[in-house]
Amino acid sequence: MDLLAPLRACKKLIFYQCLPHAATLVTGTIICPIGDKKVKLCLKENNKTESSVFVELPLSTSEFTSSIDSSVLRIVLDPVPDSGITQRWQTYCNGQKVGFARRLVVGKEEKWVLETMQMVSSGAGFLLQKGSDAGSFKYLRGQFERIVGSDDSEAYHLVDPSYWFGQDLSVFFLSQ
């Protein structure tokens, strides 16, 4: 079942109305390709399900890491009305407009990263894919607490019970 399809159909909250029994905690993975490619965010209900939300952020790996080095990173995704076939969001990073994020279908290289990380519940690290054009990736994986603010906003906050990450990371999805 393609869980990305409901995103365009409901045009409301990511999990709340599309998946009424969504968990309060979801697994989040931030994939940071080495090089000039854009950072990707994957949110899913648990490790065993296919990706529920897969978004390419308008940030390169170096832009993302320099933003998160400040210890606080707030990403706000504000939907662009009538953005065509691909859902797009105007994106703000710590209050500054940084471009447009777009919904993606999981590609071959991202699928490899997500499959490789099935046994990882949380952490940050580096993955090297030998013999492939996909290259290497940095990743940040953990549990994100889903907070529904109202019928038109939803937030995901990185849960860091051991304070090991040392960062405060939140992603906000707004609705039209």
Side-chain angles (χ1 to χ4, degrees):
M1 177 178 160
D2 180 15
L3 295 176
L4 290 173
L7 285 178
R8 291 210 32 90
C10 71
K11 290 196 178 188
K12 285 287 186 179
L13 303 177
I14 300 299
F15 288 113
Y16 182 69
Q17 289 186 347
C18 296
L19 303 171
H21 301 292
T24 301
L25 288 178
V26 299
T27 300
T29 306
I30 297 172
I31 301 169
C32 301
I34 304 301
D36 292 333
K37 294 182 180 178
K38 301 296 181 188
V39 170
K40 290 151 184 103
L41 168 68
C42 173
L43 295 172
K44 52 199 226 174
E45 286 188 89
N46 60 54
N47 260 351
K48 305 213 183 335
T49 62
E50 289 294 317
S51 174
S52 295
V53 178
F54 195 66
V55 176
E56 180 182 66
L57 299 172
L59 298 168
S60 68
T61 297
S62 61
E63 291 168 328
F64 177 81
T65 54
S66 67
S67 295
I68 203 164
D69 279 346
S70 69
S71 296
V72 176
L73 179 57
R74 301 283 183 262
I75 298 171
V76 176
L77 300 165
D78 190 9
V80 175
D82 301 320
S83 57
I85 295 171
T86 303
Q87 187 171 15
R88 294 186 328 146
W89 295 271
Q90 177 67 59
T91 306
Y92 301 86
C93 183
N94 287 340
Q96 297 200 346
K97 191 184 292 189
V98 294
F100 293 95
R102 64 188 178 111
R103 183 184 63 131
L104 293 178
V105 175
V106 177
K108 184 171 71 172
E109 62 187 41
E110 293 85 13
K111 186 172 183 154
W112 175 82
V113 172
L114 295 172
E115 287 174 353
T116 302
M117 297 181 59
Q118 283 296 323
M119 301 306 289
V120 178
S121 60
S122 66
F126 184 78
L127 295 173
L128 175 62
Q129 188 174 13
K130 295 181 181 179
S132 169
D133 294 336
S136 303
F137 302 88
K138 293 179 182 179
Y139 70 87
L140 173 65
R141 185 175 181 99
Q143 295 296 304
F144 284 75
E145 182 178 15
R146 179 179 64 87
I147 305 291
V148 177
S150 65
D151 286 345
D152 62 355
S153 68
E154 188 170 11
Y156 295 86
H157 304 282
L158 178 64
V159 176
D160 187 7
S162 65
Y163 301 103
W164 181 81
F165 288 132
Q167 282 94 16
D168 186 2
L169 171 63
S170 298
V171 180
F172 300 87
F173 287 90
L174 306 178
S175 181
Q176 295 179 10

